[in-house]
Amino acid sequence: MKMKTKHISRRLFLKDAALAAAVASSVSLFDRSAIAAQEASAKAKLPSFGKAKSVIQLWLWGGPSQIDTFDPKPAAGYDYCGPYSAPINTNVDGIVIGQMLPELAKCADKYSVLRGVSHKQNAHETASYLTQTGRMPGRYVYPCAGAVVSKFMGVDVGYSKMIPPYIVMTQPQGRFSESGFLGARYKPFATGGDPARIPFEVEGIVARGIDRDRQETRRKILEATNTFGAALADSGYLKQGAAAQEQAYNLVLGDSGKVFDISGEPDEIRKMYGRDRFANSCLIARRLIEYGVPYVTVNYGGWDTHKGHFEAMGRMLPPTDRAIAALINDLGKRGMLDSTIVWVTGEFGRTPKISWEPPYCGGRGHWGDAFSMLVAGGGFKGGKVVGATDDKAEQVVERFISPGDVIGSIYANLGINPDATLTTPQADVVRIVPDKPEEGIISGGLLTEIM
Amino acid sequence: MRIFQIIAVAVFAACVSKADMMMSGGMDSDASADDKPAQKTPPPEKQKKTAEKAAQKNASKNGAKKAGNPEKEPLSPYEVDSDVFISVNEIDESVLHCLKILDIKPAKLCSDAVFARRVYLDLTASLPTEDEVRAFLADKSPDKRGKLVDKLLASEKFATLMTMRFGDMLRIKAEFPINLWPNAAQAYSRFIYDSLVRNDPYGAIVRKILTSEGSNFREGEVNFFRAMQARNSVSIASCAALSFMGMRYEKMPETARHNLAAFFDRLSYKSTKEWKEEIVFADPAKRAPFSGTLPDGSAVSLSADADPRAAFADWLTKKGNPYFSRAAANRIWSWLFGRAIVSPVDDMFADNRAVNAELLDALALKFEAYNFDIRKLCRLIVMSRTYQQSPIPRAKPSEAAKYFAAYPVRQLEAETAIDVICEITGTGEIYESTTPEPYTKFPSGESAVALPDGSVTTSFLELFGRPSRDTGLDSERAASPSASQKLYMINSAHIRSKIENGAGIRPIYSKKPDEFLDTAYLLVLSRFPTKAEREAFYKIRDSRRKNDRGWTHYVDTVWALFNSEEFINKH
């Protein structure tokens, strides 16, 4: 009896396994040709397909207010706008942005404002994940855009530069693991250190006070006392470690680390960006892109302004405005804007109606129903507005944009087919961006109007 | 099945047992209730005396050789120069049996210094102090290895390390995608830690988890039912199978999946007036007579008053259930030995076979005989001659590693690495999370191994492969070397300032060269320097600029020790 049931079970299992294998192989075959076909069609449809080589993601975590920045509604009155009642015209007819962004107002022809973004999530963690992966929480933890780009344009395609292909200044997310199910190989390299200080000490890459001579002596000691390595030489166990160390020394003793050193930048450039932490991060990001890094994230917190919102905006918006405008203009002047996508976003917006009551006393809460992003360069047109909200910036009334729409468009501009797939540790094949809207989220499709 | 078995036996020689075959067929949903998986009867308990004697014999060979006398240098600092392999317990018998059939030579016995370092790392994720190493090396008693193991098993650090291991498996994390919330993650961790400090049997701990009800802040164990993305019976069943049965839910036949999930159908969640508090409870509204089928195919009928979860938990944690004892034995073995018997530990079925099924049988049976006492199982493993092998293989390295014919060299876990760097240098790290509120801050000096919440992290921990605790899969922990890690050790201000300024290490920079060398090696590598290493120290010193021959040369020597493969790897 036992053998019999097992016999059946094994046979069924084998049958299932064979079937699964057949399905898997046909799927992958189908997928490959389908991808090729879709890639061709994506190329045909999108003139900007593959124009970009790299991305600078300015991640304003905490969630910046849309009504105070890129989606002003002066007619909504004091309870919505507070002191910011006089938005300003930009250098593009018809585009008006917040009064605290005068520098960005001068270069609106170089970027587009996405006002129709909506995901309806008001929790930091879900919204952070969703905004950077295009996915609602579910069965898997998907990789964020940076990890996908570092896979498709870095790690997996022979990227051989000394500086890793995905850099985060200065700390990792914390909210979720950036590389998701792709694992450690695709994690960003977090620089650590403080970009406001010069020299910027990037953990491991730039060290003060250890000159080349001493580095070499240290290495000599290490090699002369490598008793363990010698004992295990035949085992091959330490091969990977030795190779990694060799690679590390190429960076330590080479001059790639200079990419982080902005002390040689001309004074007018430093002045244009500003000299604060965010400004220096933006300038270093530009240098990293010049060097050939495909994805750089600047993690810039402080936007979760439940209380003291306007004080914080008064403090934070001017340097933010200056640095982003400087970055876009600088990239433009160097002819790098065509190949570099600048993506500015937080995980959500903030409640347009101000909470005047205690304990907030002039604060704004989380708002995922409608918020704004900025995209520039790398195949995205400038001088456009995509989507619109109601008269209080509370709801999207025209052209919904889901996070997946934005990420898919970024991929397309990078020449990564939005239909491309990844394999999970459970051996499931999944798309890099969803092909249908995630539950509860409205998608308006790729941003074809600006591509 | 028959044919398959014959092929398997041919391929794996006698290493594959019947019980292993049974594992792959054990999910039959139509098996009758009395069709219980057959268990090998436990071999008669070995006379404890014999085992201890053998252990002493192994150890004394070594003890006599070096015993605190660095002048009389052994051939190798890592192993005892002898071919003797005396079986200490059933682990050794199964491993030797397998090695004999495959004609693989086991490694020599590891040296005392290597053993001390190894058990400290494997049982407590810490290193012995300089005095502890000196005392252990000087100790002439033949049972000193056993005594050290007992001391470490009784320490709080053992419970802390095991809490981290279980925390990885159970996905204990405040933030995305698990979203337990800080207080709940801490309560859950605390539950595990307290259970381990009390040395509760593993079966009892799991039973308590699986039948728990109450507040996520107050009854830590209920968070098992919350530590998953989707809170439904399918998700719970999938986590239970993964964590406690080493089984992938998605690979089970559909009926079996459905049957397993049914045991958790009555569970509900409700919030309270306390922010983010949640009550997990068996919903009275869903009370009804229950009839279901357990994973081994046996039927269960319960009155409306009974909680089906209890029936599942009873079945799961009962002795003789191979899903449970083997899954746990395999995991605990892999935690200590760094390599599983069936790999991966959370996918033991389907096509994954044991490299040595006899060994897995022996461990599982012993674990049951010990009443699921985790410490006793750990003791059995680390006291085996197999575990006490040198890291230097004497056979083809890939085969030696696969069949446990050497202790596998592998990188320290991220948490252990930073903890021991802090211990040696007398420095602390700041662990805190300002996302989400309420902020979590730990006092300086908190160890990374002790962090109760996988969301609290640092660049170092991320860089060195700490698992994200997103899925609970064993593969999340990535402990392979990378150029970025090497850069960090070679060149970061973080590590550098610890080496130069750490209160624990600074005093040694004013010692005389020979004393400095002894202490530095004992602190960082848990052994005395060899003659060749001493000579290299002086030779390089004398070739340096005069200004660099003092403090600078000391610091650079310690730097080199921290950057050695011997330091960053378990061996």
Side-chain angles (χ1 to χ4, degrees):
Chain A
M1 170 63 192
K2 190 146 116 201
M3 279 323 291
K4 194 175 161 217
T5 55
K6 265 182 209 140
H7 184 76
I8 289 167
S9 138
R10 167 58 70 179
R11 218 176 51 206
L12 276 174
F13 171 78
L14 286 176
K15 207 174 118 197
D16 283 354
L19 193 67
V23 169
S25 69
S26 71
V27 164
S28 70
L29 280 176
F30 167 77
D31 251 10
R32 241 170 269 142
S33 58
I35 286 167
Q38 280 159 347
E39 203 162 320
S41 72
K43 269 181 198 159
K45 262 189 249 151
L46 298 166
S48 62
F49 186 90
K51 275 192 88 170
K53 294 194 188 78
S54 46
V55 180
I56 297 174
Q57 178 193 8
L58 305 178
W59 177 245
L60 314 188
W61 64 269
S65 157
Q66 70 282 14
I67 199 168
D68 298 327
T69 57
F70 297 110
D71 198 6
K73 302 283 178 179
Y78 188 70
D79 278 352
Y80 287 83
C81 304
Y84 300 150
S85 55
I88 50 179
N89 287 316
T90 64
N91 67 343
V92 175
D93 274 353
I95 301 184
V96 175
I97 61 173
Q99 68 196 66
M100 297 297 282
L101 306 172
E103 296 303 321
L104 280 165
K106 291 179 200 157
C107 59
D109 57 315
K110 296 194 179 66
Y111 59 82
S112 286
V113 175
L114 313 180
R115 285 182 181 154
V117 189
S118 169
H119 58 44
K120 302 191 188 299
Q121 295 301 315
N122 291 334
H124 288 290
E125 51 269 47
T126 308
S128 294
Y129 173 74
L130 175 56
T131 309
Q132 298 187 77
T133 63
R135 300 281 184 166
M136 279 296 282
R139 186 159 146 66
Y140 302 116
V141 176
Y142 283 88
C144 73
V148 172
V149 171
S150 96
K151 176 176 168 67
F152 282 88
M153 303 186 71
V155 182
D156 287 9
V157 291
Y159 178 88
S160 60
K161 304 247 181 211
M162 287 291 139
I163 308 272
Y166 175 20
I167 305 282
V168 172
M169 278 183 280
T170 57
Q171 295 298 322
Q173 268 286 312
R175 288 279 180 199
F176 71 100
S177 172
E178 289 95 336
S179 58
F181 63 69
L182 290 180
R185 217 163 121 75
Y186 303 95
K187 270 194 181 164
F189 177 83
T191 58
D194 181 0
R197 286 170 50 181
I198 292 177
F200 172 32
E201 287 188 38
V202 180
E203 282 302 36
I205 296 182
V206 182
R208 255 190 306 188
I210 309 265
D211 59 25
R212 203 191 160 89
D213 231 32
R214 188 163 166 209
Q215 287 286 14
E216 278 168 354
T217 308
R218 284 182 160 198
R219 194 179 190 182
K220 210 157 78 189
I221 302 174
L222 188 56
E223 279 162 6
T225 55
N226 188 13
T227 315
F228 187 64
L232 278 161
D234 297 335
S235 76
Y237 286 172
L238 302 175
K239 244 187 218 154
Q240 217 187 336
Q245 196 153 53
E246 184 66 36
Q247 215 185 327
Y249 266 111
N250 288 336
L251 187 44
V252 171
L253 301 173
D255 56 5
S256 301
K258 291 211 174 79
V259 67
F260 291 101
D261 179 11
I262 55 172
S263 62
E265 287 283 334
D267 209 45
E268 65 265 24
I269 293 280
R270 297 291 312 281
K271 215 169 137 192
M272 180 168 82
Y273 278 82
R275 291 170 193 270
D276 53 281
R277 185 167 302 135
F278 178 61
N280 288 355
S281 303
C282 287
L283 180 51
I284 294 163
R286 188 217 80 205
R287 293 173 61 92
L288 286 165
I289 297 299
E290 257 173 330
Y291 170 87
V293 172
Y295 204 100
V296 179
T297 299
V298 178
N299 264 341
Y300 179 25
W303 300 91
D304 195 17
T305 49
H306 291 275
K307 299 176 195 170
H309 170 80
F310 290 101
E311 292 85 335
M313 290 303 104
R315 201 173 56 241
M316 292 169 73
L317 284 176
T320 307
D321 171 54
R322 187 172 55 223
I324 300 176
L327 175 63
I328 292 172
N329 286 323
D330 195 13
L331 288 168
K333 274 187 210 132
R334 288 165 192 270
M336 292 164 64
L337 194 57
D338 283 343
S339 60
T340 307
I341 296 169
V342 179
W343 177 28
V344 185
T345 182
E347 66 267 43
F348 40 49
R350 303 207 80 80
T351 43
K353 191 164 183 339
I354 300 162
S355 313
W356 292 115
E357 74 283 5
Y360 307 113
C361 308
R364 294 190 190 273
H366 303 169
W367 195 255
D369 282 12
F371 63 106
S372 302
M373 293 182 183
L374 178 155
V375 289
F380 287 114
K381 286 178 195 158
K384 303 280 179 199
V385 172
V386 186
T389 56
D390 59 19
D391 54 6
K392 296 190 174 92
E394 284 177 334
Q395 298 299 331
V396 175
V397 293
E398 190 191 303
R399 206 324 182 177
F400 274 89
I401 302 167
S402 72
D405 296 337
V406 180
I407 295 170
S409 304
I410 290 173
Y411 291 161
N413 277 356
L414 288 164
I416 302 171
N417 195 299
D419 296 320
T421 55
L422 301 168
T423 306
T424 70
Q426 291 84 357
D428 282 344
V429 176
V430 297
R431 294 167 47 91
I432 52 170
V433 280
D435 53 353
K436 53 180 188 294
E438 294 281 274
E439 202 184 326
I441 294 173
I442 304 170
S443 156
L446 295 186
L447 303 166
T448 46
E449 51 271 70
I450 54 165
M451 291 167 77
Chain B
M1 180 72 175
R2 271 280 166 235
I3 292 170
F4 198 86
Q5 188 164 0
I6 290 161
I7 294 170
V9 169
V11 171
F12 294 95
C15 301
V16 178
S17 80
K18 263 190 244 153
D20 182 55
M21 302 307 298
M22 185 213 62
M23 298 288 279
S24 44
M27 288 306 296
D28 298 354
S29 50
D30 56 344
S32 68
D34 54 357
D35 188 13
K36 295 274 159 53
Q39 275 285 305
K40 258 171 74 173
T41 44
E45 245 335 90
K46 286 263 159 213
Q47 284 291 318
K48 207 180 171 199
K49 262 189 215 156
T50 332
E52 294 289 329
K53 235 193 208 159
Q56 288 164 14
K57 209 163 174 190
N58 274 328
S60 60
K61 288 232 169 264
N62 184 47
K65 268 207 150 53
K66 45 190 311 194
N69 188 356
E71 303 307 317
K72 224 168 138 196
E73 194 166 284
L75 227 57
S76 156
Y78 310 113
E79 58 189 14
V80 176
D81 187 28
S82 156
D83 279 341
V84 181
F85 190 120
I86 301 161
S87 261
V88 174
N89 56 36
E90 34 282 271
I91 291 173
D92 299 328
E93 281 156 23
S94 332
V95 170
L96 264 189
H97 184 204
C98 178
L99 295 183
K100 248 177 216 150
I101 290 162
L102 296 168
D103 197 19
I104 295 173
K105 215 172 176 182
K108 295 176 179 174
L109 181 70
C110 70
S111 66
D112 277 343
V114 164
F115 176 77
R117 182 184 179 86
R118 184 183 293 174
V119 283
Y120 266 87
L121 286 172
D122 282 341
L123 296 178
T124 64
S126 65
L127 286 180
T129 62
E130 180 189 354
D131 289 345
E132 284 169 327
V133 186
R134 283 183 188 273
F136 184 74
L137 295 181
D139 188 348
K140 296 270 200 304
S141 60
D143 59 343
K144 64 177 182 176
R145 291 193 180 196
K147 280 197 295 200
L148 176 61
V149 167
D150 288 335
K151 179 181 120 183
L152 297 178
L153 285 173
S155 71
E156 270 177 32
K157 281 184 172 172
F158 172 77
T160 306
L161 170 59
M162 285 293 149
T163 304
M164 178 184 89
R165 299 276 189 219
F166 285 114
D168 292 345
M169 176 178 107
L170 297 169
R171 306 162 301 274
I172 303 184
K173 177 180 192 183
E175 277 274 309
F176 190 85
I178 299 304
N179 295 337
L180 281 179
W181 209 246
N183 338 25
Q186 286 161 35
Y188 196 6
S189 236
R190 191 77 210 175
F191 163 79
I192 302 287
Y193 178 78
D194 288 344
S195 308
L196 292 167
V197 167
R198 284 192 307 264
N199 205 30
D200 288 354
Y202 177 66
I205 299 174
V206 172
R207 195 184 183 285
K208 207 164 179 183
I209 288 175
L210 285 174
T211 55
S212 63
E213 282 186 280
S215 153
N216 57 339
F217 292 166
R218 278 157 258 280
E219 314 295 330
E221 62 272 29
V222 302
N223 288 293
F224 173 78
F225 299 104
R226 301 175 66 247
M228 51 196 73
Q229 291 201 55
R231 290 177 189 170
N232 54 44
S233 56
V234 166
S235 231
I236 297 169
S238 151
C239 287
L242 188 74
S243 305
F244 305 132
M245 298 163 71
M247 188 183 277
R248 299 287 170 92
Y249 187 75
E250 61 270 19
K251 291 188 181 174
M252 287 162 56
E254 202 186 327
T255 335
R257 289 204 301 258
H258 179 82
N259 287 339
L260 183 54
F263 285 90
F264 302 101
D265 269 344
R266 284 189 204 171
L267 213 64
S268 281
Y269 306 84
K270 64 182 176 197
S271 50
T272 71
K273 283 186 179 164
E274 189 174 342
W275 191 33
K276 299 277 182 182
E277 186 184 44
E278 205 169 39
I279 307 290
V280 179
F281 65 109
D283 197 342
K286 294 180 188 166
R287 268 165 42 119
F290 176 86
S291 60
T293 307
L294 288 161
D296 67 354
S298 54
V300 173
S301 283
L302 300 171
S303 72
D305 289 333
D307 184 347
R309 293 183 306 163
F312 171 71
D314 287 343
W315 167 81
L316 178 70
T317 59
K318 198 172 52 191
K319 286 183 194 173
N321 181 351
Y323 296 120
F324 189 66
S325 51
R326 282 157 172 261
N330 190 34
R331 236 182 235 277
I332 291 169
W333 170 271
S334 84
W335 288 343
L336 294 172
F337 209 86
R339 225 186 147 98
I341 305 168
V342 185
S343 214
V345 294
D346 42 33
D347 189 8
M348 291 175 66
F349 300 90
D351 286 338
N352 299 323
R353 322 229 115 245
V355 291
N356 185 339
E358 192 186 325
L359 173 62
L360 185 58
D361 282 347
L363 285 173
L365 287 170
K366 278 306 258 192
F367 196 33
E368 291 186 356
Y370 291 150
N371 275 322
F372 300 119
D373 182 322
I374 294 170
R375 282 182 176 78
K376 282 189 182 156
L377 183 65
C378 289
R379 191 181 198 281
L380 183 82
I381 294 170
V382 301
M383 286 313 291
S384 71
R385 173 63 171 77
T386 303
Y387 174 86
Q388 297 188 18
Q389 286 174 105
S390 136
I392 303 161
R394 300 168 82 199
K396 216 170 118 198
S398 58
E399 293 205 333
K402 185 173 176 188
Y403 297 103
F404 315 117
Y407 179 87
V409 175
R410 60 202 191 273
Q411 193 160 302
L412 298 176
E413 301 91 6
E415 301 90 328
T416 308
I418 192 65
D419 279 0
V420 299
I421 292 169
C422 288
E423 270 172 33
I424 295 167
T425 55
T427 55
E429 291 285 289
I430 294 168
Y431 294 109
E432 60 182 17
S433 162
T434 53
T435 52
E437 287 185 61
Y439 295 169
T440 310
K441 287 183 194 272
F442 294 92
S444 172
E446 176 77 336
S447 92
V449 173
L451 290 175
D453 174 352
S455 294
V456 180
T457 191
T458 62
S459 300
F460 183 96
L461 292 175
E462 293 295 304
L463 184 60
F464 282 79
R466 187 190 196 211
S468 59
R469 294 189 175 175
D470 287 348
T471 59
L473 292 178
D474 192 55
S475 57
E476 269 190 4
R477 184 177 283 285
S480 58
S482 73
S484 302
Q485 292 169 1
K486 297 290 180 192
L487 273 173
Y488 203 94
M489 291 302 294
I490 290 172
N491 224 14
S492 69
H494 182 210
I495 300 301
R496 184 178 159 201
S497 90
K498 284 176 185 293
I499 292 175
E500 290 179 0
N501 309 318
I505 193 106
R506 231 174 21 217
I508 81 166
Y509 299 138
S510 47
K511 290 187 178 220
K512 292 201 178 82
D514 272 328
E515 285 171 31
F516 159 78
L517 274 176
D518 276 356
T519 303
Y521 272 79
L522 288 166
L523 277 175
V524 185
L525 301 182
S526 322
R527 66 168 172 86
F528 282 103
T530 64
K531 197 164 157 254
E533 286 162 343
R534 280 181 202 281
E535 285 166 5
F537 171 87
Y538 288 112
K539 196 175 155 213
I540 296 174
R541 185 193 66 171
D542 296 342
S543 73
R544 299 187 77 152
R545 284 192 303 252
K546 217 165 190 167
N547 283 347
D548 292 344
R549 289 183 195 167
W551 183 85
T552 305
H553 191 57
Y554 278 8
V555 166
D556 290 351
T557 299
V558 171
W559 171 92
L561 292 176
F562 275 110
N563 274 280
S564 68
E565 295 289 346
E566 186 171 349
F567 169 74
I568 203 70
N569 286 297
K570 293 190 184 188
H571 55 79

